[in-house]
Amino acid sequence: MRTLGVVLAGGQSSRMRQDKALLTLNGSTMLERSVNALRPLLPEVWISRQTDQAVPMADARIVPDTMRDCGPLGGVAAVMEQAVRAGFDAVLLLPVDLPACSAADLSPLMAAGEREQKPVCFSGHFLPLYLPVNSAVLEFTQRQLTDSKARKSVASVFYQFDGIQLPPPDSNALTNTNTREEWLTATREEQHG
């Protein structure tokens, strides 16, 4: 089983009003923290990011969305297309805006996904997500992006392929930082952690 780690970092960060991936917490950017959360589990980590967005990591493999402004699903589709060509069987998707998420938090997703060969997320959170990579998943995802009536969401892929939801971690690993206020709360929690 060959699984690829993917950091989803190509969003517009419109609610944050600055690029979330470049925000720094304890000396590391959010992008670096996300890559470092995946690396203990997976030897290869790619970054879904737009070509006009800065990347503070020189050795990173960047995969731009083939269809812009489609939310996380646009990044997922672009990465899956290249992952299929590179011979990966699955991806473990981590959004860049979960500063407290660690390899220990992600490990149960990967274990359940590899065992069941189905999408796996935490209850109430469609990201992070373990997602098998095959032609059926790729075709469905691409159809979601091109069909004007389709729901362009990661959740639609999860449900289409009978995904499994695990209990969420007890930590604040899934605390999202989309706004300035959420970011300030996360930085305070990290400092007093």
Side-chain angles (χ1 to χ4, degrees):
M1 174 79 10
R2 225 175 136 217
T3 303
L4 170 67
V6 178
V7 177
L8 297 173
Q12 297 175 3
S13 301
S14 55
R15 287 179 279 171
M16 184 66 76
R17 298 182 192 251
Q18 68 185 92
D19 191 341
K20 290 184 281 190
L22 302 180
L23 292 172
T24 302
L25 187 58
N26 288 337
S28 297
T29 65
M30 292 291 290
L31 185 57
E32 292 165 333
R33 289 174 71 96
S34 299
V35 168
N36 291 336
L38 289 165
R39 280 228 166 104
L41 300 172
L42 301 160
E44 197 162 348
V45 177
W46 295 357
I47 300 167
S48 170
R49 194 132 167 90
Q50 303 308 320
T51 54
D52 59 346
Q53 293 175 313
V55 181
M57 304 172 75
D59 62 338
R61 173 152 180 192
I62 308 302
V63 180
D65 292 3
T66 49
M67 294 181 68
R68 287 192 71 136
D69 302 322
C70 292
L73 195 61
V76 171
V79 165
M80 281 198 316
E81 196 173 308
Q82 290 192 28
V84 165
R85 280 191 241 129
F88 286 97
D89 303 301
V91 291
L92 181 57
L93 304 163
L94 176 63
V96 76
D97 55 11
L98 298 178
C101 198
S102 69
D105 298 315
L106 297 170
S107 183
L109 295 180
M110 219 171 111
E114 288 178 348
R115 183 178 59 251
E116 301 296 330
Q117 283 305 292
K118 290 184 175 189
V120 181
C121 69
F122 293 114
S123 181
H125 303 269
F126 293 106
L127 289 170
L129 175 69
Y130 175 93
L131 184 63
V133 173
N134 56 50
S135 58
V137 174
L138 180 58
E139 288 168 16
F140 177 80
T141 303
Q142 290 170 333
R143 272 196 319 273
Q144 292 299 101
L145 291 172
T146 56
D147 182 350
S148 62
K149 295 177 183 163
R151 187 167 171 234
K152 294 170 179 49
S153 71
V154 174
S156 64
V157 179
F158 176 83
Y159 287 121
Q160 177 69 23
F161 293 96
D162 301 319
I164 300 166
Q165 294 189 20
L166 301 181
D170 292 332
S171 68
N172 61 348
L174 303 178
T175 301
N176 197 296
T177 55
N178 275 315
T179 66
R180 192 82 184 135
E181 293 75 29
E182 290 169 342
W183 173 250
L184 293 173
T185 300
T187 56
R188 279 193 297 274
E189 287 174 2
E190 175 95 5
Q191 291 168 352
H192 298 103

PDB file of all heavy atoms in Angstrom, residues 134-156:
ATOM      1  N   ASN A 134      -8.146   5.793  -6.905  1.00  0.00           N
ATOM      2  CA  ASN A 134      -8.388   4.865  -8.005  1.00  0.00           C
ATOM      3  C   ASN A 134      -9.205   5.595  -9.062  1.00  0.00           C
ATOM      4  O   ASN A 134      -9.630   6.738  -8.857  1.00  0.00           O
ATOM      5  CB  ASN A 134      -9.088   3.591  -7.506  1.00  0.00           C
ATOM      6  CG  ASN A 134     -10.383   3.891  -6.788  1.00  0.00           C
ATOM      7  OD1 ASN A 134     -11.229   4.628  -7.288  1.00  0.00           O
ATOM      8  ND2 ASN A 134     -10.550   3.323  -5.593  1.00  0.00           N
ATOM      9  N   SER A 135      -9.432   4.952 -10.171  1.00  0.00           N
ATOM     10  CA  SER A 135     -10.104   5.626 -11.279  1.00  0.00           C
ATOM     11  C   SER A 135     -11.534   6.029 -10.919  1.00  0.00           C
ATOM     12  O   SER A 135     -11.996   7.097 -11.325  1.00  0.00           O
ATOM     13  CB  SER A 135     -10.088   4.760 -12.540  1.00  0.00           C
ATOM     14  OG  SER A 135     -10.716   3.518 -12.285  1.00  0.00           O
ATOM     15  N   ALA A 136     -12.238   5.230 -10.135  1.00  0.00           N
ATOM     16  CA  ALA A 136     -13.619   5.571  -9.777  1.00  0.00           C
ATOM     17  C   ALA A 136     -13.671   6.837  -8.918  1.00  0.00           C
ATOM     18  O   ALA A 136     -14.494   7.728  -9.165  1.00  0.00           O
ATOM     19  CB  ALA A 136     -14.282   4.408  -9.035  1.00  0.00           C
ATOM     20  N   VAL A 137     -12.794   6.937  -7.935  1.00  0.00           N
ATOM     21  CA  VAL A 137     -12.761   8.122  -7.064  1.00  0.00           C
ATOM     22  C   VAL A 137     -12.339   9.342  -7.872  1.00  0.00           C
ATOM     23  O   VAL A 137     -12.936  10.418  -7.756  1.00  0.00           O
ATOM     24  CB  VAL A 137     -11.832   7.895  -5.856  1.00  0.00           C
ATOM     25  CG1 VAL A 137     -11.686   9.171  -5.031  1.00  0.00           C
ATOM     26  CG2 VAL A 137     -12.342   6.758  -4.983  1.00  0.00           C
ATOM     27  N   LEU A 138     -11.338   9.172  -8.710  1.00  0.00           N
ATOM     28  CA  LEU A 138     -10.855  10.291  -9.531  1.00  0.00           C
ATOM     29  C   LEU A 138     -11.944  10.774 -10.494  1.00  0.00           C
ATOM     30  O   LEU A 138     -12.202  11.972 -10.595  1.00  0.00           O
ATOM     31  CB  LEU A 138      -9.598   9.876 -10.301  1.00  0.00           C
ATOM     32  CG  LEU A 138      -8.977  10.940 -11.194  1.00  0.00           C
ATOM     33  CD1 LEU A 138      -8.602  12.179 -10.400  1.00  0.00           C
ATOM     34  CD2 LEU A 138      -7.753  10.378 -11.898  1.00  0.00           C
ATOM     35  N   GLU A 139     -12.616   9.847 -11.177  1.00  0.00           N
ATOM     36  CA  GLU A 139     -13.672  10.232 -12.117  1.00  0.00           C
ATOM     37  C   GLU A 139     -14.829  10.935 -11.417  1.00  0.00           C
ATOM     38  O   GLU A 139     -15.344  11.942 -11.900  1.00  0.00           O
ATOM     39  CB  GLU A 139     -14.170   9.005 -12.880  1.00  0.00           C
ATOM     40  CG  GLU A 139     -13.172   8.495 -13.904  1.00  0.00           C
ATOM     41  CD  GLU A 139     -13.534   7.118 -14.449  1.00  0.00           C
ATOM     42  OE1 GLU A 139     -14.692   6.681 -14.279  1.00  0.00           O
ATOM     43  OE2 GLU A 139     -12.643   6.478 -15.029  1.00  0.00           O
ATOM     44  N   PHE A 140     -15.242  10.428 -10.257  1.00  0.00           N
ATOM     45  CA  PHE A 140     -16.332  11.051  -9.525  1.00  0.00           C
ATOM     46  C   PHE A 140     -15.943  12.470  -9.099  1.00  0.00           C
ATOM     47  O   PHE A 140     -16.732  13.405  -9.244  1.00  0.00           O
ATOM     48  CB  PHE A 140     -16.711  10.219  -8.294  1.00  0.00           C
ATOM     49  CG  PHE A 140     -17.777  10.855  -7.462  1.00  0.00           C
ATOM     50  CD1 PHE A 140     -19.113  10.758  -7.831  1.00  0.00           C
ATOM     51  CD2 PHE A 140     -17.455  11.586  -6.326  1.00  0.00           C
ATOM     52  CE1 PHE A 140     -20.110  11.376  -7.074  1.00  0.00           C
ATOM     53  CE2 PHE A 140     -18.439  12.203  -5.565  1.00  0.00           C
ATOM     54  CZ  PHE A 140     -19.772  12.095  -5.942  1.00  0.00           C
ATOM     55  N   THR A 141     -14.745  12.621  -8.600  1.00  0.00           N
ATOM     56  CA  THR A 141     -14.272  13.931  -8.144  1.00  0.00           C
ATOM     57  C   THR A 141     -14.244  14.923  -9.304  1.00  0.00           C
ATOM     58  O   THR A 141     -14.691  16.068  -9.170  1.00  0.00           O
ATOM     59  CB  THR A 141     -12.882  13.800  -7.500  1.00  0.00           C
ATOM     60  OG1 THR A 141     -12.969  12.862  -6.429  1.00  0.00           O
ATOM     61  CG2 THR A 141     -12.385  15.121  -6.955  1.00  0.00           C
ATOM     62  N   GLN A 142     -13.736  14.489 -10.435  1.00  0.00           N
ATOM     63  CA  GLN A 142     -13.688  15.374 -11.602  1.00  0.00           C
ATOM     64  C   GLN A 142     -15.094  15.734 -12.091  1.00  0.00           C
ATOM     65  O   GLN A 142     -15.348  16.871 -12.482  1.00  0.00           O
ATOM     66  CB  GLN A 142     -12.855  14.735 -12.711  1.00  0.00           C
ATOM     67  CG  GLN A 142     -11.384  14.702 -12.356  1.00  0.00           C
ATOM     68  CD  GLN A 142     -10.546  13.873 -13.314  1.00  0.00           C
ATOM     69  OE1 GLN A 142     -11.029  12.938 -13.950  1.00  0.00           O
ATOM     70  NE2 GLN A 142      -9.268  14.209 -13.394  1.00  0.00           N
ATOM     71  N   ARG A 143     -16.033  14.780 -12.033  1.00  0.00           N
ATOM     72  CA  ARG A 143     -17.423  15.072 -12.411  1.00  0.00           C
ATOM     73  C   ARG A 143     -18.037  16.097 -11.458  1.00  0.00           C
ATOM     74  O   ARG A 143     -18.782  16.980 -11.880  1.00  0.00           O
ATOM     75  CB  ARG A 143     -18.267  13.792 -12.409  1.00  0.00           C
ATOM     76  CG  ARG A 143     -18.248  13.037 -13.708  1.00  0.00           C
ATOM     77  CD  ARG A 143     -19.371  12.011 -13.823  1.00  0.00           C
ATOM     78  NE  ARG A 143     -19.657  11.251 -12.619  1.00  0.00           N
ATOM     79  CZ  ARG A 143     -19.051  10.115 -12.267  1.00  0.00           C
ATOM     80  NH1 ARG A 143     -18.112   9.603 -13.030  1.00  0.00           N
ATOM     81  NH2 ARG A 143     -19.398   9.481 -11.176  1.00  0.00           N
ATOM     82  N   GLN A 144     -17.738  15.976 -10.174  1.00  0.00           N
ATOM     83  CA  GLN A 144     -18.259  16.936  -9.194  1.00  0.00           C
ATOM     84  C   GLN A 144     -17.806  18.355  -9.538  1.00  0.00           C
ATOM     85  O   GLN A 144     -18.551  19.306  -9.354  1.00  0.00           O
ATOM     86  CB  GLN A 144     -17.807  16.580  -7.781  1.00  0.00           C
ATOM     87  CG  GLN A 144     -18.405  15.303  -7.226  1.00  0.00           C
ATOM     88  CD  GLN A 144     -19.911  15.386  -7.131  1.00  0.00           C
ATOM     89  OE1 GLN A 144     -20.633  14.860  -7.969  1.00  0.00           O
ATOM     90  NE2 GLN A 144     -20.417  16.048  -6.123  1.00  0.00           N
ATOM     91  N   LEU A 145     -16.583  18.470 -10.010  1.00  0.00           N
ATOM     92  CA  LEU A 145     -16.044  19.791 -10.324  1.00  0.00           C
ATOM     93  C   LEU A 145     -16.615  20.384 -11.596  1.00  0.00           C
ATOM     94  O   LEU A 145     -16.716  21.600 -11.734  1.00  0.00           O
ATOM     95  CB  LEU A 145     -14.517  19.721 -10.430  1.00  0.00           C
ATOM     96  CG  LEU A 145     -13.777  19.466  -9.119  1.00  0.00           C
ATOM     97  CD1 LEU A 145     -12.303  19.220  -9.382  1.00  0.00           C
ATOM     98  CD2 LEU A 145     -13.980  20.613  -8.142  1.00  0.00           C
ATOM     99  N   THR A 146     -16.992  19.545 -12.544  1.00  0.00           N
ATOM    100  CA  THR A 146     -17.465  20.056 -13.835  1.00  0.00           C
ATOM    101  C   THR A 146     -18.987  20.126 -13.943  1.00  0.00           C
ATOM    102  O   THR A 146     -19.501  20.826 -14.808  1.00  0.00           O
ATOM    103  CB  THR A 146     -16.914  19.202 -14.995  1.00  0.00           C
ATOM    104  OG1 THR A 146     -17.287  17.840 -14.780  1.00  0.00           O
ATOM    105  CG2 THR A 146     -15.402  19.319 -15.081  1.00  0.00           C
ATOM    106  N   ASP A 147     -19.703  19.422 -13.092  1.00  0.00           N
ATOM    107  CA  ASP A 147     -21.167  19.429 -13.112  1.00  0.00           C
ATOM    108  C   ASP A 147     -21.674  20.647 -12.335  1.00  0.00           C
ATOM    109  O   ASP A 147     -21.460  20.759 -11.126  1.00  0.00           O
ATOM    110  CB  ASP A 147     -21.704  18.142 -12.486  1.00  0.00           C
ATOM    111  CG  ASP A 147     -23.215  18.045 -12.514  1.00  0.00           C
ATOM    112  OD1 ASP A 147     -23.901  19.042 -12.839  1.00  0.00           O
ATOM    113  OD2 ASP A 147     -23.719  16.951 -12.191  1.00  0.00           O
ATOM    114  N   SER A 148     -22.354  21.543 -13.019  1.00  0.00           N
ATOM    115  CA  SER A 148     -22.810  22.783 -12.377  1.00  0.00           C
ATOM    116  C   SER A 148     -23.821  22.525 -11.259  1.00  0.00           C
ATOM    117  O   SER A 148     -23.989  23.348 -10.379  1.00  0.00           O
ATOM    118  CB  SER A 148     -23.413  23.725 -13.422  1.00  0.00           C
ATOM    119  OG  SER A 148     -24.540  23.112 -14.016  1.00  0.00           O
ATOM    120  N   LYS A 149     -24.481  21.369 -11.274  1.00  0.00           N
ATOM    121  CA  LYS A 149     -25.474  21.055 -10.248  1.00  0.00           C
ATOM    122  C   LYS A 149     -24.889  20.247  -9.087  1.00  0.00           C
ATOM    123  O   LYS A 149     -25.564  20.027  -8.086  1.00  0.00           O
ATOM    124  CB  LYS A 149     -26.633  20.287 -10.876  1.00  0.00           C
ATOM    125  CG  LYS A 149     -27.395  21.120 -11.883  1.00  0.00           C
ATOM    126  CD  LYS A 149     -28.479  20.319 -12.534  1.00  0.00           C
ATOM    127  CE  LYS A 149     -29.162  21.189 -13.587  1.00  0.00           C
ATOM    128  NZ  LYS A 149     -29.927  20.407 -14.520  1.00  0.00           N
ATOM    129  N   ALA A 150     -23.657  19.808  -9.224  1.00  0.00           N
ATOM    130  CA  ALA A 150     -23.047  18.955  -8.197  1.00  0.00           C
ATOM    131  C   ALA A 150     -22.578  19.773  -7.001  1.00  0.00           C
ATOM    132  O   ALA A 150     -22.246  20.949  -7.124  1.00  0.00           O
ATOM    133  CB  ALA A 150     -21.866  18.200  -8.798  1.00  0.00           C
ATOM    134  N   ARG A 151     -22.542  19.109  -5.874  1.00  0.00           N
ATOM    135  CA  ARG A 151     -22.025  19.715  -4.655  1.00  0.00           C
ATOM    136  C   ARG A 151     -20.507  19.539  -4.662  1.00  0.00           C
ATOM    137  O   ARG A 151     -20.003  18.433  -4.548  1.00  0.00           O
ATOM    138  CB  ARG A 151     -22.641  19.008  -3.446  1.00  0.00           C
ATOM    139  CG  ARG A 151     -22.301  19.656  -2.158  1.00  0.00           C
ATOM    140  CD  ARG A 151     -23.170  19.114  -1.044  1.00  0.00           C
ATOM    141  NE  ARG A 151     -22.639  19.619   0.204  1.00  0.00           N
ATOM    142  CZ  ARG A 151     -22.310  18.866   1.213  1.00  0.00           C
ATOM    143  NH1 ARG A 151     -22.496  17.564   1.160  1.00  0.00           N
ATOM    144  NH2 ARG A 151     -21.816  19.393   2.311  1.00  0.00           N
ATOM    145  N   LYS A 152     -19.794  20.609  -4.826  1.00  0.00           N
ATOM    146  CA  LYS A 152     -18.335  20.559  -4.957  1.00  0.00           C
ATOM    147  C   LYS A 152     -17.701  20.520  -3.570  1.00  0.00           C
ATOM    148  O   LYS A 152     -17.175  21.510  -3.084  1.00  0.00           O
ATOM    149  CB  LYS A 152     -17.846  21.759  -5.760  1.00  0.00           C
ATOM    150  CG  LYS A 152     -18.311  21.721  -7.201  1.00  0.00           C
ATOM    151  CD  LYS A 152     -18.021  23.023  -7.915  1.00  0.00           C
ATOM    152  CE  LYS A 152     -18.462  23.006  -9.350  1.00  0.00           C
ATOM    153  NZ  LYS A 152     -19.763  22.563  -9.657  1.00  0.00           N
ATOM    154  N   SER A 153     -17.764  19.351  -2.950  1.00  0.00           N
ATOM    155  CA  SER A 153     -17.246  19.238  -1.587  1.00  0.00           C
ATOM    156  C   SER A 153     -16.535  17.913  -1.376  1.00  0.00           C
ATOM    157  O   SER A 153     -16.829  16.919  -2.046  1.00  0.00           O
ATOM    158  CB  SER A 153     -18.388  19.359  -0.578  1.00  0.00           C
ATOM    159  OG  SER A 153     -19.199  18.202  -0.625  1.00  0.00           O
ATOM    160  N   VAL A 154     -15.636  17.921  -0.444  1.00  0.00           N
ATOM    161  CA  VAL A 154     -14.948  16.695  -0.045  1.00  0.00           C
ATOM    162  C   VAL A 154     -15.965  15.725   0.549  1.00  0.00           C
ATOM    163  O   VAL A 154     -15.872  14.514   0.352  1.00  0.00           O
ATOM    164  CB  VAL A 154     -13.811  17.021   0.943  1.00  0.00           C
ATOM    165  CG1 VAL A 154     -13.187  15.757   1.488  1.00  0.00           C
ATOM    166  CG2 VAL A 154     -12.752  17.902   0.271  1.00  0.00           C
ATOM    167  N   ALA A 155     -16.970  16.255   1.237  1.00  0.00           N
ATOM    168  CA  ALA A 155     -18.006  15.405   1.832  1.00  0.00           C
ATOM    169  C   ALA A 155     -18.719  14.564   0.771  1.00  0.00           C
ATOM    170  O   ALA A 155     -19.051  13.405   1.015  1.00  0.00           O
ATOM    171  CB  ALA A 155     -19.018  16.261   2.591  1.00  0.00           C
ATOM    172  N   SER A 156     -18.954  15.130  -0.411  1.00  0.00           N
ATOM    173  CA  SER A 156     -19.642  14.381  -1.464  1.00  0.00           C
ATOM    174  C   SER A 156     -18.837  13.148  -1.877  1.00  0.00           C
ATOM    175  O   SER A 156     -19.407  12.088  -2.125  1.00  0.00           O
ATOM    176  CB  SER A 156     -19.931  15.270  -2.670  1.00  0.00           C
ATOM    177  OG  SER A 156     -18.740  15.710  -3.283  1.00  0.00           O
TER     178      SER A 156
END
